[in-house]
Amino acid sequence: MTEKLALLHPEILLFAAACVVMVIGLSKNASTRRLASLITGAALIGAFVLSFWSPSAGGMFPSLLPYAKATIAGVSFLLMLTLVGVVDRDYETLALKTGRFDPIRSTRGEFFAFYLFSVMGVMLCASADDLIWLFLALELTSLPTYIMVAMSSSKLRAQEAGVKYFFLGAFGAATFLYGFAMLYGATGTTMLPEMQAMFANAQASGDGLPTLAVMGLVLSVIGIAFKIAAVPMHFYTADVYQGAAAPVTGYLAFAPKTAGFLALLVLLSTVGWGWTASVESISTGGLPDAVRVVVWAMAALTMTVGNVLALLQTSVKRMLAYSSIAHSGYILVGLIAGPGDGGSIWSNGLAAVLFYLLVYGVTNAGAFAVLASLERREGRSGDPTDREVDSINDLKGMWSTNPLLCAAWVVCIASLMGFPPLLGFWPKLHLFFASISAGEVTLAVILAVNSAIAAFYYLRMIIAACIDRADETTSRKELSEYLTRPLAAFVSAALVIAMIFSFGALQKASRNAVQQGEVVATPAKNADMVDAQR
């Protein structure tokens, strides 16, 4: 237990900060309540620093923790800057006018505490080496977000999105939990390293993987598809993204996706893409056929459905929602390609997955920060709470009214498109080479075609902001009073450009993070698995 606690220093810091934030959110003093966001930001910076001192663990990927946790904490800090003012904006104004404060109606403390708890869950997914641990980490990531969506806006649409997100999330959790139960039934253990050793022995003896284990893996992948917004568990995405406030939507596009891919990374490594050299009798050859077919179909459909449906949207948030779905399809290609042959870094699909999550997180944070920074002067139907920029028409004329924000928007959207030489181009290229190296030429072609399709709606968003003039359909916009939002946009855009010059170092760091530990042969355990299967 002591060894496990040594892996959790960033999470312990975030937990302590969440407890403090919940308490000060109930203070009668407005200045004290405003400290909630400052404490949240400081905790995330502290977690980012502590991540680099995370020790190597004995799990599926011993060197994964520093890279994964630093990515999660860093991107979460950028997203936190946009969350300032999401809740209690109108209530705080009323409290200052009347001089009365009702702690029951104030939600600032709870909101930022939920945010920290969710970030903790994503980090815990990186250190998971047990099915129970993984399940709890995934749910800790998701459960706070259901509440964050519902409370992010006073509009009924946000509450509808929160309820829809909750019920579909419960369905996804039940699906992958059923898969976990099957894996336990096939192996008699919840420990992933032990499970990996049993599957290795089964492959070595020529018996193959038990049918119950394969079914469990397939169900687990389909259930976790909800977290990454992949087909067929993608239906909620556009409605939830549009219903939630833009800063919360930005977090939804990053955190559950990252948690889901980390979970898939450790789960699929139990059956392997070809075992390590320490098990000489096992030949390399990719994922088991049934699992590979499911993930392959999911990748192809996810990127295609996401991009095609994005073409039909007039809402920017719905476009970015379907864009998020498409990006999940791209990243799934890396999971199919696997770690490669250990030669060129460009053939390592798992490294491409981690690299892509980092780049997508930074770029996505910048795009949603721009949306959060702009507000329409008047809400629709006279509703003062409905001032959020959403329609593609709302972007028109941004270059003339807010040129710096427009520049940040262009950089981030072009990076999401994969426009060379911006940062977003390199992980896509990495995935393309990795899929070809793994023999997945058809999937590489589908990836390339979908990248071309995506360019249409990304350019549409850029043209609306930079070229189209404001007309009678364009609402008058003003800069948000919360200056941390444009700050997040500028920092993200600057990182997108600056990180171009260090993408090679980031690639190497991602490859080092997915170096697998040795598979230990345990014949006795394999016999137990066969007995359990019978």
Short mmCIF file of all heavy atoms in Angstrom, two decimals, residues 4 7-15 43-52 54 64-77 115-129 133-134 136-138 140-141 251 254-256 258-260 262-263 266:
data_model
loop_
_atom_site.label_atom_id
_atom_site.label_comp_id
_atom_site.label_asym_id
_atom_site.label_seq_id
_atom_site.Cartn_x
_atom_site.Cartn_y
_atom_site.Cartn_z
N LYS A 4 2.05 2.03 -3.39
CA LYS A 4 1.01 2.62 -4.23
C LYS A 4 0.84 4.10 -3.93
O LYS A 4 0.65 4.92 -4.85
CB LYS A 4 -0.31 1.89 -3.97
CG LYS A 4 -1.30 1.98 -5.11
CD LYS A 4 -0.83 1.16 -6.30
CE LYS A 4 -1.88 1.12 -7.38
NZ LYS A 4 -1.41 0.42 -8.58
N LEU A 7 2.93 6.62 -5.77
CA LEU A 7 2.57 6.96 -7.14
C LEU A 7 1.53 8.07 -7.21
O LEU A 7 1.23 8.57 -8.29
CB LEU A 7 2.02 5.72 -7.86
CG LEU A 7 2.87 4.45 -7.85
CD1 LEU A 7 2.11 3.32 -8.53
CD2 LEU A 7 4.20 4.69 -8.53
N LEU A 8 0.97 8.44 -6.07
CA LEU A 8 -0.24 9.25 -6.07
C LEU A 8 -0.03 10.66 -5.50
O LEU A 8 -0.99 11.30 -5.08
CB LEU A 8 -1.35 8.54 -5.27
CG LEU A 8 -1.70 7.13 -5.73
CD1 LEU A 8 -2.80 6.56 -4.85
CD2 LEU A 8 -2.14 7.11 -7.18
N HIS A 9 1.19 11.14 -5.47
CA HIS A 9 1.42 12.47 -4.91
C HIS A 9 0.62 13.56 -5.63
O HIS A 9 0.03 14.43 -4.96
CB HIS A 9 2.92 12.79 -4.93
CG HIS A 9 3.70 11.94 -3.97
ND1 HIS A 9 5.05 11.69 -4.11
CD2 HIS A 9 3.33 11.27 -2.85
CE1 HIS A 9 5.46 10.91 -3.14
NE2 HIS A 9 4.43 10.64 -2.37
N PRO A 10 0.55 13.59 -6.95
CA PRO A 10 -0.28 14.62 -7.60
C PRO A 10 -1.75 14.50 -7.24
O PRO A 10 -2.43 15.51 -6.99
CB PRO A 10 -0.06 14.37 -9.10
CG PRO A 10 1.25 13.66 -9.18
CD PRO A 10 1.31 12.80 -7.96
N GLU A 11 -2.25 13.26 -7.18
CA GLU A 11 -3.66 13.05 -6.84
C GLU A 11 -3.97 13.46 -5.40
O GLU A 11 -5.03 14.03 -5.12
CB GLU A 11 -4.06 11.58 -7.06
CG GLU A 11 -4.09 11.15 -8.51
CD GLU A 11 -2.76 10.59 -8.99
OE1 GLU A 11 -1.71 11.02 -8.44
OE2 GLU A 11 -2.75 9.74 -9.89
N ILE A 12 -3.04 13.18 -4.49
CA ILE A 12 -3.25 13.56 -3.10
C ILE A 12 -3.32 15.08 -2.96
O ILE A 12 -4.15 15.63 -2.22
CB ILE A 12 -2.12 12.98 -2.22
CG1 ILE A 12 -2.22 11.44 -2.18
CG2 ILE A 12 -2.18 13.54 -0.80
CD1 ILE A 12 -1.05 10.76 -1.51
N LEU A 13 -2.46 15.78 -3.70
CA LEU A 13 -2.50 17.24 -3.68
C LEU A 13 -3.83 17.76 -4.22
O LEU A 13 -4.43 18.68 -3.63
CB LEU A 13 -1.34 17.79 -4.52
CG LEU A 13 -1.30 19.32 -4.70
CD1 LEU A 13 -1.19 20.02 -3.35
CD2 LEU A 13 -0.16 19.72 -5.62
N LEU A 14 -4.31 17.19 -5.31
CA LEU A 14 -5.58 17.63 -5.88
C LEU A 14 -6.75 17.33 -4.93
O LEU A 14 -7.69 18.14 -4.82
CB LEU A 14 -5.82 16.94 -7.22
CG LEU A 14 -4.85 17.30 -8.35
CD1 LEU A 14 -5.22 16.54 -9.62
CD2 LEU A 14 -4.85 18.80 -8.63
N PHE A 15 -6.70 16.20 -4.23
CA PHE A 15 -7.76 15.86 -3.28
C PHE A 15 -7.79 16.86 -2.13
O PHE A 15 -8.86 17.34 -1.73
CB PHE A 15 -7.53 14.44 -2.74
CG PHE A 15 -8.53 14.05 -1.69
CD1 PHE A 15 -9.82 13.68 -2.04
CD2 PHE A 15 -8.19 14.06 -0.34
CE1 PHE A 15 -10.75 13.31 -1.07
CE2 PHE A 15 -9.10 13.71 0.63
CZ PHE A 15 -10.38 13.33 0.28
N ALA A 43 -3.20 24.27 -7.35
CA ALA A 43 -3.13 22.81 -7.16
C ALA A 43 -2.75 22.10 -8.45
O ALA A 43 -1.97 21.14 -8.45
CB ALA A 43 -4.46 22.29 -6.63
N LEU A 44 -3.29 22.57 -9.57
CA LEU A 44 -2.97 21.94 -10.86
C LEU A 44 -1.51 22.19 -11.25
O LEU A 44 -0.84 21.31 -11.80
CB LEU A 44 -3.90 22.47 -11.94
CG LEU A 44 -5.36 21.99 -11.83
CD1 LEU A 44 -6.27 22.78 -12.76
CD2 LEU A 44 -5.46 20.50 -12.11
N ILE A 45 -1.00 23.39 -10.95
CA ILE A 45 0.41 23.66 -11.21
C ILE A 45 1.28 22.76 -10.34
O ILE A 45 2.29 22.19 -10.79
CB ILE A 45 0.73 25.15 -10.96
CG1 ILE A 45 0.03 26.02 -12.00
CG2 ILE A 45 2.24 25.39 -11.00
CD1 ILE A 45 0.16 27.50 -11.74
N GLY A 46 0.90 22.62 -9.05
CA GLY A 46 1.64 21.74 -8.16
C GLY A 46 1.61 20.30 -8.63
O GLY A 46 2.63 19.59 -8.59
N ALA A 47 0.44 19.85 -9.11
CA ALA A 47 0.33 18.47 -9.61
C ALA A 47 1.18 18.29 -10.86
O ALA A 47 1.78 17.22 -11.07
CB ALA A 47 -1.13 18.16 -9.92
N PHE A 48 1.25 19.32 -11.70
CA PHE A 48 2.09 19.26 -12.90
C PHE A 48 3.55 19.06 -12.52
O PHE A 48 4.26 18.24 -13.10
CB PHE A 48 1.90 20.54 -13.71
CG PHE A 48 2.78 20.65 -14.92
CD1 PHE A 48 2.45 19.97 -16.09
CD2 PHE A 48 3.93 21.41 -14.90
CE1 PHE A 48 3.25 20.06 -17.22
CE2 PHE A 48 4.74 21.52 -16.03
CZ PHE A 48 4.40 20.84 -17.18
N VAL A 49 4.01 19.82 -11.53
CA VAL A 49 5.41 19.71 -11.10
C VAL A 49 5.66 18.34 -10.47
O VAL A 49 6.67 17.68 -10.76
CB VAL A 49 5.74 20.83 -10.11
CG1 VAL A 49 7.15 20.64 -9.53
CG2 VAL A 49 5.65 22.20 -10.79
N LEU A 50 4.75 17.89 -9.60
CA LEU A 50 4.94 16.60 -8.93
C LEU A 50 4.91 15.44 -9.92
O LEU A 50 5.50 14.38 -9.65
CB LEU A 50 3.85 16.40 -7.88
CG LEU A 50 3.95 17.26 -6.61
CD1 LEU A 50 2.74 17.02 -5.72
CD2 LEU A 50 5.24 16.95 -5.86
N SER A 51 4.24 15.63 -11.05
CA SER A 51 4.14 14.55 -12.03
C SER A 51 5.51 14.11 -12.54
O SER A 51 5.72 12.93 -12.82
CB SER A 51 3.27 14.99 -13.22
OG SER A 51 1.96 15.27 -12.81
N PHE A 52 6.43 15.03 -12.65
CA PHE A 52 7.75 14.69 -13.18
C PHE A 52 8.57 13.86 -12.19
O PHE A 52 9.57 13.26 -12.57
CB PHE A 52 8.51 15.97 -13.54
CG PHE A 52 7.93 16.70 -14.71
CD1 PHE A 52 7.13 17.82 -14.53
CD2 PHE A 52 8.14 16.25 -16.00
CE1 PHE A 52 6.58 18.49 -15.61
CE2 PHE A 52 7.60 16.91 -17.09
CZ PHE A 52 6.82 18.03 -16.89
N SER A 54 7.06 11.44 -10.49
CA SER A 54 6.34 10.18 -10.32
C SER A 54 7.29 9.02 -10.60
O SER A 54 7.93 8.98 -11.66
CB SER A 54 5.13 10.10 -11.27
OG SER A 54 4.18 11.08 -10.93
N LEU A 64 4.94 5.26 -17.78
CA LEU A 64 3.83 6.06 -18.30
C LEU A 64 3.49 7.26 -17.43
O LEU A 64 3.09 8.31 -17.94
CB LEU A 64 2.60 5.17 -18.46
CG LEU A 64 1.29 5.83 -18.92
CD1 LEU A 64 1.46 6.40 -20.31
CD2 LEU A 64 0.14 4.83 -18.88
N LEU A 65 3.66 7.13 -16.11
CA LEU A 65 3.08 8.11 -15.19
C LEU A 65 3.57 9.54 -15.40
O LEU A 65 2.74 10.46 -15.45
CB LEU A 65 3.31 7.67 -13.74
CG LEU A 65 2.68 6.34 -13.33
CD1 LEU A 65 2.77 6.15 -11.83
CD2 LEU A 65 1.22 6.26 -13.77
N PRO A 66 4.88 9.81 -15.47
CA PRO A 66 5.30 11.21 -15.60
C PRO A 66 4.71 11.90 -16.83
O PRO A 66 4.18 13.02 -16.74
CB PRO A 66 6.83 11.12 -15.68
CG PRO A 66 7.16 9.84 -15.02
CD PRO A 66 6.04 8.91 -15.35
N TYR A 67 4.76 11.25 -17.98
CA TYR A 67 4.26 11.86 -19.21
C TYR A 67 2.75 12.07 -19.12
O TYR A 67 2.23 13.16 -19.41
CB TYR A 67 4.60 10.96 -20.40
CG TYR A 67 4.17 11.52 -21.75
CD1 TYR A 67 5.06 12.21 -22.55
CD2 TYR A 67 2.87 11.35 -22.21
CE1 TYR A 67 4.68 12.73 -23.77
CE2 TYR A 67 2.47 11.87 -23.43
CZ TYR A 67 3.38 12.55 -24.22
OH TYR A 67 2.98 13.06 -25.43
N ALA A 68 2.03 11.02 -18.74
CA ALA A 68 0.56 11.10 -18.75
C ALA A 68 0.06 12.12 -17.73
O ALA A 68 -0.80 12.95 -18.03
CB ALA A 68 -0.03 9.72 -18.46
N LYS A 69 0.60 12.08 -16.52
CA LYS A 69 0.09 12.98 -15.48
C LYS A 69 0.47 14.43 -15.76
O LYS A 69 -0.30 15.35 -15.47
CB LYS A 69 0.60 12.53 -14.12
CG LYS A 69 -0.01 11.21 -13.66
CD LYS A 69 0.36 10.87 -12.22
CE LYS A 69 -0.28 9.56 -11.79
NZ LYS A 69 -0.02 9.23 -10.39
N ALA A 70 1.66 14.66 -16.32
CA ALA A 70 2.04 16.02 -16.67
C ALA A 70 1.14 16.56 -17.77
O ALA A 70 0.73 17.73 -17.74
CB ALA A 70 3.50 16.06 -17.10
N THR A 71 0.81 15.74 -18.76
CA THR A 71 -0.11 16.14 -19.82
C THR A 71 -1.47 16.50 -19.25
O THR A 71 -2.06 17.54 -19.58
CB THR A 71 -0.25 15.01 -20.85
OG1 THR A 71 1.01 14.78 -21.48
CG2 THR A 71 -1.29 15.37 -21.91
N ILE A 72 -1.99 15.64 -18.38
CA ILE A 72 -3.32 15.86 -17.80
C ILE A 72 -3.36 17.13 -16.97
O ILE A 72 -4.26 17.97 -17.11
CB ILE A 72 -3.72 14.64 -16.94
CG1 ILE A 72 -3.89 13.40 -17.82
CG2 ILE A 72 -5.00 14.92 -16.16
CD1 ILE A 72 -3.85 12.09 -17.06
N ALA A 73 -2.35 17.32 -16.10
CA ALA A 73 -2.34 18.50 -15.24
C ALA A 73 -2.13 19.78 -16.05
O ALA A 73 -2.79 20.80 -15.79
CB ALA A 73 -1.24 18.36 -14.18
N GLY A 74 -1.24 19.74 -17.04
CA GLY A 74 -0.96 20.94 -17.83
C GLY A 74 -2.15 21.40 -18.63
O GLY A 74 -2.52 22.59 -18.61
N VAL A 75 -2.78 20.47 -19.35
CA VAL A 75 -3.96 20.84 -20.16
C VAL A 75 -5.12 21.23 -19.25
O VAL A 75 -5.86 22.18 -19.56
CB VAL A 75 -4.34 19.67 -21.08
CG1 VAL A 75 -5.63 20.00 -21.84
CG2 VAL A 75 -3.22 19.39 -22.07
N SER A 76 -5.28 20.55 -18.13
CA SER A 76 -6.36 20.89 -17.20
C SER A 76 -6.20 22.30 -16.64
O SER A 76 -7.19 22.99 -16.38
CB SER A 76 -6.41 19.87 -16.06
OG SER A 76 -6.72 18.58 -16.53
N PHE A 77 -4.95 22.73 -16.46
CA PHE A 77 -4.72 24.10 -15.99
C PHE A 77 -5.18 25.11 -17.05
O PHE A 77 -5.83 26.12 -16.73
CB PHE A 77 -3.25 24.32 -15.66
CG PHE A 77 -2.92 25.74 -15.29
CD1 PHE A 77 -3.25 26.22 -14.03
CD2 PHE A 77 -2.31 26.59 -16.20
CE1 PHE A 77 -2.97 27.55 -13.68
CE2 PHE A 77 -2.02 27.90 -15.86
CZ PHE A 77 -2.36 28.38 -14.60
N TYR A 115 -14.41 19.62 -10.42
CA TYR A 115 -13.40 19.68 -11.48
C TYR A 115 -12.12 18.97 -11.03
O TYR A 115 -11.55 18.17 -11.78
CB TYR A 115 -13.13 21.14 -11.83
CG TYR A 115 -12.12 21.32 -12.94
CD1 TYR A 115 -12.45 21.03 -14.26
CD2 TYR A 115 -10.84 21.80 -12.68
CE1 TYR A 115 -11.53 21.21 -15.28
CE2 TYR A 115 -9.93 21.98 -13.70
CZ TYR A 115 -10.27 21.68 -15.00
OH TYR A 115 -9.36 21.84 -16.01
N LEU A 116 -11.67 19.26 -9.83
CA LEU A 116 -10.46 18.62 -9.32
C LEU A 116 -10.63 17.12 -9.15
O LEU A 116 -9.72 16.34 -9.43
CB LEU A 116 -10.05 19.27 -8.00
CG LEU A 116 -9.52 20.71 -8.09
CD1 LEU A 116 -9.34 21.30 -6.70
CD2 LEU A 116 -8.21 20.74 -8.85
N PHE A 117 -11.80 16.69 -8.69
CA PHE A 117 -12.05 15.26 -8.54
C PHE A 117 -11.99 14.56 -9.91
O PHE A 117 -11.46 13.45 -10.03
CB PHE A 117 -13.42 15.01 -7.89
CG PHE A 117 -13.44 15.24 -6.42
CD1 PHE A 117 -14.46 15.97 -5.83
CD2 PHE A 117 -12.45 14.73 -5.60
CE1 PHE A 117 -14.48 16.20 -4.46
CE2 PHE A 117 -12.46 14.94 -4.23
CZ PHE A 117 -13.49 15.68 -3.65
N SER A 118 -12.55 15.20 -10.93
CA SER A 118 -12.53 14.60 -12.26
C SER A 118 -11.11 14.50 -12.80
O SER A 118 -10.72 13.48 -13.39
CB SER A 118 -13.40 15.43 -13.22
OG SER A 118 -13.44 14.86 -14.50
N VAL A 119 -10.30 15.55 -12.60
CA VAL A 119 -8.90 15.50 -13.03
C VAL A 119 -8.16 14.39 -12.29
O VAL A 119 -7.33 13.67 -12.88
CB VAL A 119 -8.21 16.86 -12.80
CG1 VAL A 119 -6.73 16.78 -13.13
CG2 VAL A 119 -8.88 17.94 -13.65
N MET A 120 -8.46 14.22 -11.01
CA MET A 120 -7.88 13.11 -10.24
C MET A 120 -8.19 11.77 -10.90
O MET A 120 -7.33 10.89 -11.01
CB MET A 120 -8.43 13.09 -8.82
CG MET A 120 -7.82 14.09 -7.87
SD MET A 120 -8.74 14.10 -6.31
CE MET A 120 -8.71 12.36 -5.89
N GLY A 121 -9.44 11.60 -11.33
CA GLY A 121 -9.84 10.34 -11.96
C GLY A 121 -9.05 10.05 -13.22
O GLY A 121 -8.64 8.90 -13.45
N VAL A 122 -8.82 11.08 -14.03
CA VAL A 122 -8.03 10.88 -15.26
C VAL A 122 -6.62 10.43 -14.90
O VAL A 122 -6.06 9.51 -15.51
CB VAL A 122 -7.99 12.17 -16.11
CG1 VAL A 122 -7.29 11.89 -17.43
CG2 VAL A 122 -9.39 12.69 -16.37
N MET A 123 -6.02 11.06 -13.89
CA MET A 123 -4.67 10.68 -13.48
C MET A 123 -4.62 9.25 -12.95
O MET A 123 -3.66 8.51 -13.20
CB MET A 123 -4.16 11.65 -12.42
CG MET A 123 -3.78 13.02 -12.94
SD MET A 123 -2.94 13.98 -11.67
CE MET A 123 -2.45 15.43 -12.59
N LEU A 124 -5.65 8.87 -12.21
CA LEU A 124 -5.68 7.51 -11.65
C LEU A 124 -5.75 6.45 -12.74
O LEU A 124 -5.28 5.32 -12.54
CB LEU A 124 -6.85 7.36 -10.68
CG LEU A 124 -6.71 8.12 -9.35
CD1 LEU A 124 -8.01 8.07 -8.56
CD2 LEU A 124 -5.57 7.53 -8.52
N CYS A 125 -6.35 6.80 -13.88
CA CYS A 125 -6.39 5.84 -14.99
C CYS A 125 -4.98 5.51 -15.47
O CYS A 125 -4.71 4.39 -15.93
CB CYS A 125 -7.19 6.42 -16.16
SG CYS A 125 -8.98 6.49 -15.87
N ALA A 126 -4.06 6.48 -15.38
CA ALA A 126 -2.69 6.25 -15.85
C ALA A 126 -1.95 5.25 -14.98
O ALA A 126 -1.05 4.55 -15.46
CB ALA A 126 -1.93 7.58 -15.89
N SER A 127 -2.30 5.19 -13.69
CA SER A 127 -1.59 4.29 -12.77
C SER A 127 -2.35 2.99 -12.51
O SER A 127 -1.96 2.22 -11.63
CB SER A 127 -1.30 5.00 -11.45
OG SER A 127 -2.51 5.51 -10.88
N ALA A 128 -3.41 2.75 -13.25
CA ALA A 128 -4.25 1.57 -13.00
C ALA A 128 -3.55 0.28 -13.43
O ALA A 128 -3.04 0.19 -14.55
CB ALA A 128 -5.58 1.70 -13.74
N ASP A 129 -3.47 -0.68 -12.54
CA ASP A 129 -2.98 -2.02 -12.87
C ASP A 129 -3.93 -3.09 -12.36
O ASP A 129 -3.55 -4.24 -12.20
CB ASP A 129 -1.57 -2.24 -12.32
CG ASP A 129 -1.53 -2.12 -10.80
OD1 ASP A 129 -2.58 -1.79 -10.20
OD2 ASP A 129 -0.45 -2.34 -10.21
N TRP A 133 -9.53 -0.88 -9.71
CA TRP A 133 -8.93 0.46 -9.71
C TRP A 133 -9.33 1.21 -10.99
O TRP A 133 -9.69 2.38 -10.95
CB TRP A 133 -7.41 0.31 -9.61
CG TRP A 133 -6.62 1.58 -9.60
CD1 TRP A 133 -6.47 2.48 -10.61
CD2 TRP A 133 -5.86 2.10 -8.50
NE1 TRP A 133 -5.66 3.51 -10.23
CE2 TRP A 133 -5.27 3.32 -8.95
CE3 TRP A 133 -5.59 1.65 -7.21
CZ2 TRP A 133 -4.44 4.08 -8.13
CZ3 TRP A 133 -4.77 2.42 -6.40
CH2 TRP A 133 -4.21 3.61 -6.85
N LEU A 134 -9.26 0.53 -12.12
CA LEU A 134 -9.57 1.16 -13.40
C LEU A 134 -11.03 1.58 -13.46
O LEU A 134 -11.35 2.69 -13.94
CB LEU A 134 -9.24 0.20 -14.55
CG LEU A 134 -9.38 0.75 -15.97
CD1 LEU A 134 -8.50 1.97 -16.18
CD2 LEU A 134 -9.04 -0.34 -16.99
N LEU A 136 -13.05 2.34 -10.92
CA LEU A 136 -13.26 3.47 -10.02
C LEU A 136 -12.67 4.75 -10.61
O LEU A 136 -13.26 5.84 -10.48
CB LEU A 136 -12.64 3.18 -8.66
CG LEU A 136 -13.31 2.04 -7.86
CD1 LEU A 136 -12.54 1.78 -6.57
CD2 LEU A 136 -14.76 2.37 -7.55
N ALA A 137 -11.51 4.64 -11.27
CA ALA A 137 -10.89 5.82 -11.87
C ALA A 137 -11.75 6.37 -13.00
O ALA A 137 -11.93 7.60 -13.12
CB ALA A 137 -9.49 5.47 -12.38
N LEU A 138 -12.27 5.49 -13.84
CA LEU A 138 -13.12 5.95 -14.95
C LEU A 138 -14.39 6.63 -14.43
O LEU A 138 -14.83 7.66 -14.98
CB LEU A 138 -13.48 4.77 -15.85
CG LEU A 138 -12.37 4.23 -16.75
CD1 LEU A 138 -12.79 2.91 -17.39
CD2 LEU A 138 -12.01 5.24 -17.83
N LEU A 140 -14.75 8.06 -11.44
CA LEU A 140 -14.38 9.31 -10.79
C LEU A 140 -14.15 10.40 -11.84
O LEU A 140 -14.40 11.58 -11.58
CB LEU A 140 -13.12 9.12 -9.94
CG LEU A 140 -12.64 10.35 -9.16
CD1 LEU A 140 -13.72 10.84 -8.21
CD2 LEU A 140 -11.36 10.02 -8.40
N THR A 141 -13.70 10.03 -13.01
CA THR A 141 -13.55 11.00 -14.10
C THR A 141 -14.90 11.50 -14.58
O THR A 141 -15.10 12.70 -14.80
CB THR A 141 -12.81 10.36 -15.28
OG1 THR A 141 -11.51 9.94 -14.87
CG2 THR A 141 -12.68 11.33 -16.45
N TYR A 251 -13.55 20.99 -21.55
CA TYR A 251 -13.05 19.95 -20.64
C TYR A 251 -13.59 18.58 -21.03
O TYR A 251 -12.87 17.57 -20.99
CB TYR A 251 -13.45 20.28 -19.20
CG TYR A 251 -12.95 19.28 -18.20
CD1 TYR A 251 -11.59 19.18 -17.91
CD2 TYR A 251 -13.81 18.39 -17.57
CE1 TYR A 251 -11.12 18.24 -17.00
CE2 TYR A 251 -13.35 17.46 -16.66
CZ TYR A 251 -12.00 17.39 -16.38
OH TYR A 251 -11.53 16.46 -15.49
N PHE A 254 -11.63 16.81 -23.66
CA PHE A 254 -10.27 16.34 -23.33
C PHE A 254 -10.25 15.24 -22.26
O PHE A 254 -9.69 14.17 -22.48
CB PHE A 254 -9.42 17.52 -22.86
CG PHE A 254 -8.12 17.10 -22.24
CD1 PHE A 254 -7.09 16.59 -23.03
CD2 PHE A 254 -7.91 17.17 -20.87
CE1 PHE A 254 -5.89 16.18 -22.46
CE2 PHE A 254 -6.72 16.78 -20.29
CZ PHE A 254 -5.71 16.27 -21.08
N ALA A 255 -10.85 15.50 -21.10
CA ALA A 255 -10.63 14.62 -19.94
C ALA A 255 -11.20 13.21 -20.11
O ALA A 255 -10.46 12.22 -19.98
CB ALA A 255 -11.17 15.29 -18.69
N PRO A 256 -12.51 13.04 -20.40
CA PRO A 256 -13.00 11.67 -20.56
C PRO A 256 -12.32 10.94 -21.72
O PRO A 256 -12.09 9.72 -21.64
CB PRO A 256 -14.50 11.86 -20.85
CG PRO A 256 -14.82 13.20 -20.28
CD PRO A 256 -13.59 14.03 -20.50
N THR A 258 -9.17 11.33 -22.73
CA THR A 258 -7.85 10.91 -22.26
C THR A 258 -7.96 9.71 -21.32
O THR A 258 -7.19 8.75 -21.43
CB THR A 258 -7.14 12.08 -21.55
OG1 THR A 258 -7.04 13.18 -22.45
CG2 THR A 258 -5.76 11.68 -21.08
N ALA A 259 -8.92 9.77 -20.39
CA ALA A 259 -9.11 8.65 -19.48
C ALA A 259 -9.46 7.37 -20.24
O ALA A 259 -8.96 6.28 -19.93
CB ALA A 259 -10.22 8.98 -18.47
N GLY A 260 -10.34 7.50 -21.24
CA GLY A 260 -10.74 6.33 -22.01
C GLY A 260 -9.59 5.71 -22.78
O GLY A 260 -9.43 4.48 -22.80
N LEU A 262 -6.35 5.97 -22.07
CA LEU A 262 -5.42 5.36 -21.12
C LEU A 262 -5.95 4.00 -20.67
O LEU A 262 -5.18 3.04 -20.52
CB LEU A 262 -5.22 6.28 -19.92
CG LEU A 262 -4.42 7.56 -20.18
CD1 LEU A 262 -4.43 8.45 -18.93
CD2 LEU A 262 -2.98 7.24 -20.58
N ALA A 263 -7.27 3.92 -20.46
CA ALA A 263 -7.87 2.64 -20.08
C ALA A 263 -7.72 1.61 -21.20
O ALA A 263 -7.39 0.44 -20.95
CB ALA A 263 -9.34 2.84 -19.73
N VAL A 266 -4.05 0.22 -21.37
CA VAL A 266 -3.66 -0.82 -20.41
C VAL A 266 -4.45 -2.10 -20.63
O VAL A 266 -3.93 -3.21 -20.43
CB VAL A 266 -3.79 -0.31 -18.96
CG1 VAL A 266 -2.85 0.84 -18.71
CG2 VAL A 266 -5.21 0.09 -18.63
#
